């Protein structure tokens, strides 16, 4: 696969790892919808901190830098924290996984659309949500959410879906 690839769609396969994605430094859209991925890796440089200058320059072009759209819905992902390094992400689709916490999403200020539906989330932490200053659409249906903190700070929010949760107020 060419290193100049900007869009990669690998829907409905039996893919278990994101191996090789790090070579796609110009990637803007990545769809790995409906696979068997259990870990987000090889995408974001976050784990490469504290390396020598040479390595940092080399790692500078990992897909996280240019990625605008990431669809990893219908997999078996438990931890979305590595996404925190994808600072230019505008659309994140991570529905139908095994996510319990939205940790790592708070500094993604460019996000406009987020789909976290059908996961195992119980609480939407204010410190994570309130940083999403450009968020227009938030899909949270079919979780176990009891409380959503920071929703009032999302001034650009146009669409909110919280169907089938455990909200009490």
């Amino acid at each position: 696969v060419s290193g100049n690839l900007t869009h990669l769609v690998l829907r409905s396969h039996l893919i278990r790892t994101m191996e090789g994605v790090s070579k796609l430094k110009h990637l803007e859209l990545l769809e790995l919808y409906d696979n068997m991925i259990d870990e987000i890796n090889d995408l974001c440089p976050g784990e490469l901190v504290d390396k020598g200058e040479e390595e940092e320059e080399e790692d500078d072009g990992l897909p996280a830098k240019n990625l605008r759209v990431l669809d990893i819905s219908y997999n078996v992902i438990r931890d979305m924290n590595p996404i925190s390094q994808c600072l230019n992400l505008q659309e994140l689709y991570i529905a139908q996984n095994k996510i319990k916490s939205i940790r790592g999403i708070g500094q993604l200020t460019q996000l406009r659309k987020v789909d976290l539906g059908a996961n195992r989330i119980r609480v939407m932490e204010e410190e994570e949500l309130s940083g999403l200053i450009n968020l227009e659409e938030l899909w949270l249906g079919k979780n176990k959410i009891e409380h959503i903190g920071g929703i009032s700070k999302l001034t650009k929010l146009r669409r909110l879906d919280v169907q089938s949760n455990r909200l009490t107020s």
Side-chain angles (χ1 to χ4, degrees):
V1 178
S2 167
N4 292 322
L5 206 62
T6 59
H7 290 68
L8 179 60
V9 178
L10 294 167
R11 288 178 154 237
S12 302
H13 292 283
L14 299 173
I15 298 170
R16 292 183 182 273
T17 67
M18 296 174 67
E19 187 178 338
V21 173
S22 64
K23 294 177 177 70
L24 306 174
K25 299 177 186 208
H26 301 285
L27 206 56
E28 294 176 16
L29 177 141
L30 177 59
E31 284 190 33
L32 291 166
Y33 178 101
D34 189 22
N35 279 287
M36 300 172 74
I37 297 168
D38 63 355
E39 189 176 356
I40 302 167
N41 55 12
D42 214 24
L43 176 66
C44 304
E47 297 172 17
L48 305 172
V49 186
D50 296 331
K51 302 261 182 166
E53 281 183 36
E54 249 179 61
E55 283 185 85
E56 278 184 25
E57 280 182 31
E58 186 180 314
D59 296 333
D60 211 24
L62 283 174
K65 186 176 181 183
N66 295 314
L67 202 60
R68 303 284 187 269
V69 178
L70 177 61
D71 187 344
I72 47 178
S73 297
Y74 290 86
N75 280 284
V76 288
I77 296 166
R78 294 178 188 276
D79 179 17
M80 62 184 280
N81 197 43
I83 293 172
S84 66
Q85 300 301 312
C86 302
L87 297 177
N88 291 310
L89 204 59
Q90 295 174 1
E91 297 181 23
L92 172 62
Y93 305 95
I94 191 166
Q96 196 70 45
N97 276 282
K98 297 176 185 272
I99 304 291
K100 290 183 180 179
S101 167
I102 62 166
R103 189 179 41 237
I105 200 174
Q107 62 264 29
L108 302 180
T109 59
Q110 300 302 310
L111 275 175
R112 291 179 299 122
K113 294 181 183 178
V114 175
D115 184 352
L116 289 159
N119 275 290
R120 298 175 178 176
I121 301 166
R122 290 187 183 274
V123 176
M124 296 297 292
E125 295 100 359
E126 181 170 353
E127 58 273 6
E128 294 291 340
L129 265 188
S130 61
L132 305 179
I133 57 173
N134 288 304
L135 197 64
E136 297 172 5
E137 296 183 24
L138 180 58
W139 303 78
L140 300 172
K142 298 181 181 174
N143 276 287
K144 298 176 180 183
I145 298 172
E146 299 169 356
H147 175 73
I148 301 175
I151 200 86
S152 62
K153 295 181 180 173
L154 303 178
T155 57
K156 294 188 178 180
L157 194 65
R158 293 180 298 127
R159 182 172 190 136
L160 175 64
D161 182 335
V162 292
Q163 67 175 319
S164 303
N165 275 287
R166 297 179 179 170
L167 294 171
T168 55
S169 61

